[in-house]
Amino acid sequence: MIELKGINKTFRVAKRQAGFGRAVKALFSREYETVQALRDVSFCVADGEMVGYIGPNGAGKSTTIKIMCGVLTPDNGACLINGRTPWKDRVAHVREIGVVFGQRSQLWWDVPVIDSFELIRDIYRVDENEYKKNLDELTELLELGEILKTPARSLSLGQRMRCEIVASLLHNPKILFLDEPTIGLDAISKIAVRQFIKRLNEERGTTVLLTTHDMQDIEALTERIILVGKGQILLDGNLAELKTRATEGASAEEMVAELYREYEI
């Protein structure tokens, strides 16, 4: 179970005008702006549920994910995941979660992918037999094959993303956080990743929280969406019900665009 109550998060950001003179001045006197990334964010996700967490760029999606992973500490509010506060009990917490950030890698750049997997096994202290079983199954499902012997820097984006998903699942996490997992993938790779995530949820009961701008990902995987904008939860509802509010015949992307206009985000 994932439960967030009244989460707030601000960042202090340095600002300056363009120009060499202002750059020199900023060395001695900086101006700062406080940015409210999250405002009173509250929601719950049940065990085994797959939820789409959507919103425009800068809405607070990744900040929320990082708080739930224990990477960031909120200014105030409560976050309980499987009875733990992520940033207070990180070691036990990370054993039960898997995370995929589409624009960040957890693979070591210059070594073969299989070596990264071995290092991840050691970090999570995964039993040898369990590791081999998971690796064999995931390699077959995501068609990695010879890719395992290739350094991460030599992989295409689609190949790397499939490896990132495997790396996040080697320790059998109960919860999977996916932040733009299909970004930049071709159509075939996207379909393969979607089918895999759906099968993972059905067979293992893995809870999935998905952030993405690709509404085909949302339609294929989730029945519930949470809309966030300007750091606030604006909508939490069933995808099928939301479609009835949209213009007749509107695509999923057009439906979301209508929601953005409705909530002025």
Side-chain angles (χ1 to χ4, degrees):
M1 159 95 56
I2 300 172
E3 184 177 9
L4 277 70
K5 288 185 179 180
I7 293 290
N8 291 279
K9 181 64 180 178
T10 57
F11 295 100
R12 192 165 175 252
V13 181
K15 299 194 71 176
R16 71 170 178 84
Q17 299 294 324
F20 178 75
R22 293 187 177 93
V24 173
K25 182 181 177 181
L27 293 173
F28 304 96
S29 176
R30 290 196 175 190
E31 295 181 5
Y32 291 90
E33 178 184 15
T34 299
V35 177
Q36 184 85 38
L38 297 177
R39 302 172 186 266
D40 195 29
V41 169
S42 302
F43 62 84
C44 292
V45 178
D47 290 340
E49 191 174 9
M50 290 205 293
V51 177
Y53 192 55
I54 66 172
N57 291 330
K61 303 185 299 297
S62 294
T63 300
T64 309
I65 296 291
K66 289 174 183 176
I67 287 173
M68 290 189 288
C69 293
V71 175
L72 292 178
T73 301
D75 298 337
N76 49 57
C79 174
L80 283 178
I81 299 180
N82 290 332
R84 297 188 181 93
T85 301
W87 57 91
K88 291 182 179 178
D89 196 2
R90 287 192 63 185
V91 174
H93 175 62
V94 297
R95 292 183 187 278
E96 296 187 345
I97 67 170
V99 188
V100 177
F101 285 104
Q103 302 184 57
R104 288 180 175 83
S105 180
Q106 59 189 315
L107 303 174
W108 279 260
W109 205 238
D110 293 312
V111 302
V113 172
I114 189 63
D115 288 351
S116 291
F117 289 171
E118 292 283 350
L119 286 168
I120 290 169
R121 184 203 70 187
D122 290 339
I123 290 170
Y124 284 99
R125 299 177 184 176
V126 182
D127 176 78
E128 180 69 33
N129 292 331
E130 181 182 4
Y131 166 77
K132 189 175 186 311
K133 176 185 175 185
N134 288 341
L135 180 61
D136 290 345
E137 180 182 0
L138 295 169
T139 297
E140 181 180 354
L141 289 173
L142 288 174
E143 300 178 355
L144 299 187
E146 292 298 311
I147 293 175
L148 295 178
K149 302 175 183 177
T150 307
R153 59 179 164 76
S154 300
L155 300 177
S156 70
L157 180 57
Q159 291 172 330
R160 183 176 66 80
M161 288 310 304
R162 281 183 282 159
C163 292
E164 295 282 356
I165 291 173
V166 171
S168 297
L169 294 170
L170 289 172
H171 59 294
N172 281 335
K174 297 178 181 178
I175 300 171
L176 187 59
F177 296 114
L178 301 173
D179 191 5
E180 299 286 355
T182 62
I183 187 171
L185 300 190
D186 59 56
I188 294 175
S189 295
K190 283 187 177 184
I191 291 171
V193 168
R194 289 172 191 151
Q195 290 176 339
F196 173 73
I197 294 169
K198 194 167 186 177
R199 178 173 172 179
L200 187 73
N201 172 261
E202 291 172 350
E203 295 183 359
R204 298 189 184 181
T206 305
T207 304
V208 178
L209 188 69
L210 168 68
T211 79
T212 181
H213 292 294
D214 190 332
M215 285 307 299
Q216 292 182 342
D217 288 348
I218 298 293
E219 283 192 297
L221 296 171
T222 70
E223 295 181 356
R224 173 190 171 195
I225 66 169
I226 299 174
L227 174 66
V228 60
K230 299 177 182 177
Q232 298 174 291
I233 300 297
L234 303 175
L235 183 76
D236 185 347
N238 184 280
L239 183 60
E241 293 175 358
L242 293 175
K243 286 181 179 179
T244 64
R245 292 172 46 179
T247 303
E248 185 176 352
S251 66
E253 286 81 3
E254 290 168 336
M255 180 194 76
V256 171
E258 289 179 14
L259 287 174
Y260 287 1
R261 289 193 293 268
E262 179 181 343
Y263 288 98
E264 298 180 350
I265 57 173

